[in-house]
Amino acid sequence: RKYFGKEAAAISSVEGVWIAQLIPSPRRRYVALYENAFIPREIKRRMRRVLGDLLAQELISESQYRKAVQSIQ
């Protein structure tokens, strides 16, 4: 709820992937990703890879994948 003001079940796939990127270093990445609205190129690549994995496992649709990838460009 803290990041998007939503229940966990209501977050989008890209929001979920974004939150997953915080896990390795929450304090450092929170500042870069959330407070500065800056997503480093390496994180964007990782987010696209995770979204691709979700698509490959049929956990998201092709249209959800395209929309999510476009939103992190």
Side-chain angles (χ1 to χ4, degrees):
R1 271 192 129 155
K2 179 179 179 181
Y3 296 104
F4 301 106
K6 302 176 184 179
E7 294 292 328
I11 65 170
S12 70
S13 55
V14 76
E15 290 167 339
V17 170
W18 185 88
I19 290 171
Q21 297 309 304
L22 295 174
I23 293 170
S25 181
R27 183 171 293 148
R28 188 184 85 224
R29 290 189 176 171
Y30 176 81
V31 171
L33 296 173
Y34 190 74
E35 291 183 359
N36 295 333
F38 174 72
I39 303 175
R41 191 175 312 148
E42 173 189 330
I43 301 277
K44 287 181 181 182
R45 269 184 277 168
R46 190 174 303 129
M47 290 174 75
R48 285 191 293 270
R49 188 187 75 230
V50 170
L51 288 165
D53 291 346
L54 292 172
L55 176 64
Q57 295 175 28
E58 298 180 354
L59 297 171
I60 60 174
S61 68
E62 181 71 34
S63 64
Q64 289 173 310
Y65 171 78
R66 282 193 305 270
K67 183 178 177 182
V69 167
Q70 287 176 352
S71 73
I72 60 172
Q73 294 299 334

